[in-house]
Amino acid sequence: MTAEQQAFPPRPVRGVRARYVHQTSCPGDVAIVTVDFEPWEEGLRVESAPDATVRGDPEPGDLERFHAALAEGVRAELSEQLPGTPVALALVVHHIVVHLADSREYSFRTAGRLAVREALDRLSGKAATVT
C-alpha cells in the first residue's frame, strides 16, 4: 500500500445489518447478519464477536461456510464499488440468522454485498436501509 492509497475501511463502521430474504420458490433464500467493518491488516479477516448470537439451528460446518460466503460477497462488492482500493478489513459477525431449509451460500454472498453497500452509504454520510 502506498501513502496515497487509503485502505477500506478508513474508519470503523459498526452495527451494519444486511438482510437478504427471497421467498418466491423452493428453495428460498434467507441470510440476515449484523456485522462491524473494522480497520485491520491488509486483506479480509472474518471473525465472530465474543458475544455473537446465532438464530436458527445450523448444521455442523454451516457457520464456517456461511462466513466464507459472506466474505466472498464482501470482496466481490468492494472490487466493483472501489476498484483498486486496498482492503484492510476485519469483518466481525455479531448476529446471524440461519434457516434450516432456505439458508445457503448464495444467500450469504448476497448479504455480504448488501452489507458493503450499507457500510459505504454510512461512510459517505447517506442514511440507507438495507432490505
Side-chain angles (χ1 to χ4, degrees):
M1 243 182 310
T2 64
E4 59 274 351
Q5 288 180 311
Q6 184 172 12
F8 177 86
R11 65 180 185 273
V13 184
R14 297 188 175 120
V16 174
R17 184 170 186 260
R19 179 180 186 273
Y20 181 67
V21 178
H22 186 79
Q23 299 280 246
T24 59
S25 62
C26 192
D29 287 293
V30 173
I32 302 170
V33 296
T34 303
V35 297
D36 293 344
F37 287 76
E38 297 285 347
W40 195 251
E41 300 169 2
E42 192 168 350
L44 173 65
R45 173 188 167 98
V46 179
E47 58 187 64
S48 292
D51 61 345
T53 57
V54 177
R55 194 170 123 213
D57 193 19
E59 297 286 327
D62 278 353
L63 288 180
E64 293 81 10
R65 286 185 313 105
F66 294 155
H67 283 187
L70 186 65
E72 287 175 26
V74 166
R75 278 188 200 95
E77 192 66 21
L78 284 173
S79 71
E80 289 178 19
Q81 298 287 334
L82 302 173
T85 300
V87 175
L89 168 64
L91 187 70
V92 182
V93 180
H94 285 275
H95 182 71
I96 187 168
V97 175
V98 177
H99 186 275
L100 183 61
D102 292 334
S103 288
R104 51 198 181 111
E105 291 170 43
Y106 173 82
S107 311
F108 284 92
R109 276 193 296 276
T110 303
R113 285 177 166 275
L114 295 172
V116 168
R117 292 174 195 167
E118 172 69 11
L120 291 172
D121 282 348
R122 289 189 191 184
L123 286 168
S124 71
K126 295 178 186 175
T129 302
V130 175
T131 58

